[in-house]
PDB file of all heavy atoms in Angstrom:
ATOM      1  N   ILE B 111     115.543  32.934  40.619  1.00 94.00           N
ATOM      2  CA  ILE B 111     114.954  33.603  39.457  1.00 94.00           C
ATOM      3  C   ILE B 111     114.079  32.644  38.645  1.00 94.00           C
ATOM      4  O   ILE B 111     112.971  32.987  38.247  1.00 94.00           O
ATOM      5  CB  ILE B 111     116.079  34.205  38.564  1.00 94.00           C
ATOM      6  CG1 ILE B 111     116.756  35.380  39.291  1.00 94.00           C
ATOM      7  CG2 ILE B 111     115.531  34.656  37.216  1.00 94.00           C
ATOM      8  CD1 ILE B 111     118.015  35.896  38.618  1.00 94.00           C
ATOM      9  N   VAL B 119     115.615  37.251  31.778  1.00 91.00           N
ATOM     10  CA  VAL B 119     116.612  37.901  32.642  1.00 91.00           C
ATOM     11  C   VAL B 119     117.047  39.229  32.021  1.00 91.00           C
ATOM     12  O   VAL B 119     117.578  39.240  30.901  1.00 91.00           O
ATOM     13  CB  VAL B 119     117.840  36.986  32.860  1.00 91.00           C
ATOM     14  CG1 VAL B 119     118.916  37.718  33.642  1.00 91.00           C
ATOM     15  CG2 VAL B 119     117.436  35.710  33.586  1.00 91.00           C
ATOM     16  N   PRO B 120     116.816  40.347  32.733  1.00 91.00           N
ATOM     17  CA  PRO B 120     117.225  41.635  32.167  1.00 91.00           C
ATOM     18  C   PRO B 120     118.753  41.753  32.104  1.00 91.00           C
ATOM     19  O   PRO B 120     119.445  41.266  32.987  1.00 91.00           O
ATOM     20  CB  PRO B 120     116.639  42.661  33.149  1.00 91.00           C
ATOM     21  CG  PRO B 120     116.452  41.923  34.421  1.00 91.00           C
ATOM     22  CD  PRO B 120     116.215  40.483  34.079  1.00 91.00           C
ATOM     23  N   LEU B 125     125.567  40.614  31.205  1.00 98.00           N
ATOM     24  CA  LEU B 125     126.158  39.708  32.203  1.00 98.00           C
ATOM     25  C   LEU B 125     127.101  38.711  31.536  1.00 98.00           C
ATOM     26  O   LEU B 125     128.166  38.406  32.067  1.00 98.00           O
ATOM     27  CB  LEU B 125     125.063  38.941  32.952  1.00 98.00           C
ATOM     28  CG  LEU B 125     124.167  39.725  33.914  1.00 98.00           C
ATOM     29  CD1 LEU B 125     123.125  38.797  34.538  1.00 98.00           C
ATOM     30  CD2 LEU B 125     124.989  40.385  35.020  1.00 98.00           C
ATOM     31  N   LEU B 172     120.256  48.927  35.404  1.00 97.00           N
ATOM     32  CA  LEU B 172     119.216  48.254  36.183  1.00 97.00           C
ATOM     33  C   LEU B 172     118.452  49.232  37.073  1.00 97.00           C
ATOM     34  O   LEU B 172     117.269  49.037  37.353  1.00 97.00           O
ATOM     35  CB  LEU B 172     119.815  47.112  37.001  1.00 97.00           C
ATOM     36  CG  LEU B 172     120.163  45.874  36.156  1.00 97.00           C
ATOM     37  CD1 LEU B 172     121.058  44.919  36.942  1.00 97.00           C
ATOM     38  CD2 LEU B 172     118.901  45.136  35.705  1.00 97.00           C
ATOM     39  N   LEU B 185     113.656  41.375  41.102  1.00 95.00           N
ATOM     40  CA  LEU B 185     114.431  40.693  40.059  1.00 95.00           C
ATOM     41  C   LEU B 185     115.709  41.469  39.742  1.00 95.00           C
ATOM     42  O   LEU B 185     116.803  40.888  39.659  1.00 95.00           O
ATOM     43  CB  LEU B 185     113.574  40.527  38.796  1.00 95.00           C
ATOM     44  CG  LEU B 185     114.277  39.914  37.576  1.00 95.00           C
ATOM     45  CD1 LEU B 185     114.818  38.520  37.887  1.00 95.00           C
ATOM     46  CD2 LEU B 185     113.334  39.847  36.368  1.00 95.00           C
ATOM     47  N   ALA B 186     115.578  42.782  39.606  1.00 96.00           N
ATOM     48  CA  ALA B 186     116.751  43.601  39.275  1.00 96.00           C
ATOM     49  C   ALA B 186     117.813  43.508  40.374  1.00 96.00           C
ATOM     50  O   ALA B 186     119.019  43.480  40.087  1.00 96.00           O
ATOM     51  CB  ALA B 186     116.334  45.052  39.063  1.00 96.00           C
ATOM     52  N   LEU B 187     117.373  43.413  41.629  1.00 96.00           N
ATOM     53  CA  LEU B 187     118.341  43.290  42.725  1.00 96.00           C
ATOM     54  C   LEU B 187     119.098  41.958  42.649  1.00 96.00           C
ATOM     55  O   LEU B 187     120.295  41.903  42.940  1.00 96.00           O
ATOM     56  CB  LEU B 187     117.638  43.410  44.080  1.00 96.00           C
ATOM     57  CG  LEU B 187     117.258  44.815  44.528  1.00 96.00           C
ATOM     58  CD1 LEU B 187     116.591  44.777  45.897  1.00 96.00           C
ATOM     59  CD2 LEU B 187     118.493  45.727  44.592  1.00 96.00           C
ATOM     60  N   GLU B 188     118.386  40.908  42.247  1.00 96.00           N
ATOM     61  CA  GLU B 188     119.065  39.615  42.062  1.00 96.00           C
ATOM     62  C   GLU B 188     120.149  39.740  40.986  1.00 96.00           C
ATOM     63  O   GLU B 188     121.252  39.219  41.119  1.00 96.00           O
ATOM     64  CB  GLU B 188     118.074  38.522  41.605  1.00 96.00           C
ATOM     65  CG  GLU B 188     116.847  38.335  42.481  1.00 96.00           C
ATOM     66  CD  GLU B 188     117.000  37.234  43.514  1.00 96.00           C
ATOM     67  OE1 GLU B 188     118.139  36.799  43.762  1.00 96.00           O
ATOM     68  OE2 GLU B 188     115.972  36.824  44.082  1.00 96.00           O
ATOM     69  N   ILE B 189     119.810  40.459  39.915  1.00 97.00           N
ATOM     70  CA  ILE B 189     120.771  40.616  38.799  1.00 97.00           C
ATOM     71  C   ILE B 189     121.980  41.440  39.253  1.00 97.00           C
ATOM     72  O   ILE B 189     123.119  41.135  38.904  1.00 97.00           O
ATOM     73  CB  ILE B 189     120.096  41.274  37.565  1.00 97.00           C
ATOM     74  CG1 ILE B 189     118.823  40.522  37.172  1.00 97.00           C
ATOM     75  CG2 ILE B 189     121.073  41.329  36.381  1.00 97.00           C
ATOM     76  CD1 ILE B 189     118.987  39.073  36.856  1.00 97.00           C
ATOM     77  N   ILE B 190     121.726  42.474  40.047  1.00 97.00           N
ATOM     78  CA  ILE B 190     122.842  43.282  40.559  1.00 97.00           C
ATOM     79  C   ILE B 190     123.758  42.398  41.415  1.00 97.00           C
ATOM     80  O   ILE B 190     124.985  42.478  41.320  1.00 97.00           O
ATOM     81  CB  ILE B 190     122.334  44.512  41.360  1.00 97.00           C
ATOM     82  CG1 ILE B 190     121.697  45.521  40.399  1.00 97.00           C
ATOM     83  CG2 ILE B 190     123.483  45.176  42.139  1.00 97.00           C
ATOM     84  CD1 ILE B 190     121.079  46.745  41.077  1.00 97.00           C
ATOM     85  N   GLU B 191     123.155  41.538  42.232  1.00 97.00           N
ATOM     86  CA  GLU B 191     123.969  40.639  43.060  1.00 97.00           C
ATOM     87  C   GLU B 191     124.824  39.703  42.199  1.00 97.00           C
ATOM     88  O   GLU B 191     125.969  39.418  42.527  1.00 97.00           O
ATOM     89  CB  GLU B 191     123.078  39.811  43.996  1.00 97.00           C
ATOM     90  CG  GLU B 191     122.787  40.527  45.295  1.00 97.00           C
ATOM     91  CD  GLU B 191     122.242  39.590  46.365  1.00 97.00           C
ATOM     92  OE1 GLU B 191     122.920  38.593  46.684  1.00 97.00           O
ATOM     93  OE2 GLU B 191     121.142  39.863  46.857  1.00 97.00           O
ATOM     94  N   ILE B 192     124.224  39.227  41.109  1.00 98.00           N
ATOM     95  CA  ILE B 192     124.980  38.350  40.202  1.00 98.00           C
ATOM     96  C   ILE B 192     126.136  39.129  39.561  1.00 98.00           C
ATOM     97  O   ILE B 192     127.277  38.646  39.514  1.00 98.00           O
ATOM     98  CB  ILE B 192     124.046  37.751  39.123  1.00 98.00           C
ATOM     99  CG1 ILE B 192     123.117  36.721  39.773  1.00 98.00           C
ATOM    100  CG2 ILE B 192     124.847  37.119  37.979  1.00 98.00           C
ATOM    101  CD1 ILE B 192     121.997  36.214  38.877  1.00 98.00           C
ATOM    102  N   ALA B 193     125.842  40.347  39.088  1.00 98.00           N
ATOM    103  CA  ALA B 193     126.885  41.170  38.470  1.00 98.00           C
ATOM    104  C   ALA B 193     128.008  41.446  39.475  1.00 98.00           C
ATOM    105  O   ALA B 193     129.197  41.453  39.121  1.00 98.00           O
ATOM    106  CB  ALA B 193     126.282  42.478  37.956  1.00 98.00           C
TER     107      ALA B 193
END
Side-chain angles (χ1 to χ4, degrees):
Chain B
I111 291 170
V119 175
L125 290 179
L172 285 166
L185 176 59
L187 282 181
E188 306 265 15
I189 307 302
I190 290 177
E191 273 196 57
I192 289 171

